[in-house]
Amino acid sequence: MRTENVVKLAAAANDTDDLKAFLVFPDGETSARISHVRLGYATDVTVVLDLGLPRFAWTMDHGTIAAVEDIEETLGAVRHRLVMRDAACRP
């Protein structure tokens, strides 16, 4: 179930104009590495269980970002995170 949801997320990211994704396999768990095409920043997203419910989460800090059922909200949160990272890194 986790891998199936990550594959759906990666496919949806690849259907956008500004995000691209590919699958990675850290520690036996499938994650999607989603990058912002213009900015070049990326983050890994995987599925974790939160009170028994599957959630997408950034693997770098395990912060839950959105319910698995809402792919668009998840991509919006990823996009926002990458844009904010770019803004924080500018002098």
Side-chain angles (χ1 to χ4, degrees), residues 3 17 19 28 31 33 36 43 50 52-53 58 66-68 74-75 86:
T3 299
D17 291 332
L19 299 175
S31 298
R33 180 157 296 147
H36 195 286
T43 191
D50 181 22
L53 300 173
W58 284 291
V68 169
T74 302
L75 291 177
D86 180 62

Side-chain angles (χ1 to χ4, degrees), residues 32-89:
R33 180 157 296 147
I34 301 175
S35 62
H36 195 286
V37 173
R38 184 176 51 83
L39 302 176
Y41 292 101
T43 191
D44 291 352
V45 182
T46 190
V47 174
V48 297
L49 296 179
D50 181 22
L51 299 175
L53 300 173
R55 304 275 188 227
F56 282 118
W58 284 291
T59 57
M60 64 180 65
D61 60 11
H62 300 286
T64 301
I65 55 176
V68 169
E69 295 80 14
D70 195 339
I71 298 288
E72 291 304 314
E73 182 181 340
T74 302
L75 291 177
V78 169
R79 183 180 290 110
H80 177 75
R81 173 93 174 209
L82 296 175
V83 168
M84 294 309 291
R85 186 182 305 165
D86 180 62
C89 291

